[in-house]
């Protein structure tokens, strides 16, 4: 007779979801697209004839009529999305091009690429600098060179 520990070990593993296989696998693979469990022989999409093969595809799709990139959804087949785009007059599901990244608060000192959360604006030249170049002498301020300090003449 089996111990209680042996009974727990007999419940380990899962059977392959392919009807012709049904192999008991102790380290089964779960398909990310259809959610079924498979043995090592049927873990690939082609091996188990996954019905959702095109759902996880990340390739960009271009409309053959307007040459715009179509937004992909993981939950709809690709052909349905392209058809929806074309039927809308090429207005629906159009991908927006990414905007150029802002160069906010970037130090304007030569060859310095630092960015600061709060900008340091020089009061003389009115340019933005990082913490290391915030003083007029550190960034060779031209505005400071123009402002000549006045000295008191002694007679």
């Amino acid at each position: 007779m089996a111990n209680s520990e042996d009974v727990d070990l007999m419940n380990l593993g899962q059977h392959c979801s392919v009807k012709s296989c049904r192999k008991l696998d102790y380290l089964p693979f779960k398909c990310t697209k259809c959610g079924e469990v498979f043995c090592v022989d049927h873990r690939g999409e082609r091996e188990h004839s996954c019905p959702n093969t095109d759902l996880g595809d990340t390739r960009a799709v271009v409309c053959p009529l307007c040459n715009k990139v179509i937004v992909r959804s993981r939950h709809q087949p690709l052909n349905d999305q392209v058809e929806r785009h074309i039927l809308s007059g090429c207005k629906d599901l159009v991908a927006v091009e990414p905007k150029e990244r802002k160069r906010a608060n970037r130090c304007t000192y030569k060859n310095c690429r630092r960015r600061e959360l709060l900008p340091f604006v020089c009061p003389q030249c009115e340019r933005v600098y990082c913490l290391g170049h915030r003083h007029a002498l550190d960034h060779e301020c031209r505005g400071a060179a123009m402002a000549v300090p006045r000295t008191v003449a002694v007679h």
Side-chain angles (χ1 to χ4, degrees):
M1 193 148 209
N3 295 344
S4 62
E5 293 176 8
D6 294 334
V7 172
D8 291 336
L9 292 176
M10 294 179 136
N11 291 330
L12 287 177
Q14 291 179 314
H15 290 278
C16 180
S17 296
V18 175
K19 292 181 180 178
S20 62
C21 178
R22 303 296 297 160
K23 185 193 293 185
L24 179 64
D25 198 334
Y26 293 104
L27 294 171
F29 295 90
K30 184 174 183 180
C31 179
T32 57
K33 296 180 182 173
C34 67
E36 298 290 328
V37 177
F38 300 100
C39 66
V40 70
D41 298 329
H42 298 107
R43 68 180 176 189
E45 295 171 19
R46 289 184 183 151
E47 286 81 14
H48 68 267
S49 302
C50 186
N52 302 329
T53 301
D54 64 339
L55 292 183
D57 196 0
T58 57
R59 291 177 289 177
V61 179
V62 179
C63 175
L65 301 177
C66 66
N67 291 327
K68 293 181 182 175
V69 178
I70 299 172
V71 177
R72 302 266 327 254
S73 172
R74 298 181 71 181
H75 307 292
Q76 278 187 322
L78 176 62
N79 289 336
D80 292 348
Q81 291 175 316
V82 174
E83 182 180 5
R84 177 178 163 194
H85 170 75
I86 292 172
L87 291 175
S88 72
C90 294
K91 294 179 182 177
D92 201 13
L93 299 175
V94 176
V96 179
E97 293 184 22
K99 294 181 181 177
E100 189 176 321
R101 202 170 84 189
K102 292 183 181 178
R103 294 183 176 197
N105 301 337
R106 183 174 172 197
C107 181
T108 56
Y109 188 71
K110 57 185 172 190
N111 297 327
C112 183
R113 298 185 172 268
R114 289 190 205 148
R115 299 176 196 276
E116 296 292 337
L117 185 60
L118 296 173
F120 292 98
V121 180
C122 177
Q124 281 112 14
C125 64
E126 297 179 355
R127 296 181 77 189
V128 176
Y129 294 99
C130 67
L131 187 64
H133 298 118
R134 71 181 185 264
H135 297 295
L137 294 175
D138 293 333
H139 65 263
E140 302 162 4
C141 185
R142 292 181 184 168
M146 292 178 191
V148 179
R150 296 183 182 182
T151 57
V152 177
V154 179
H155 293 294

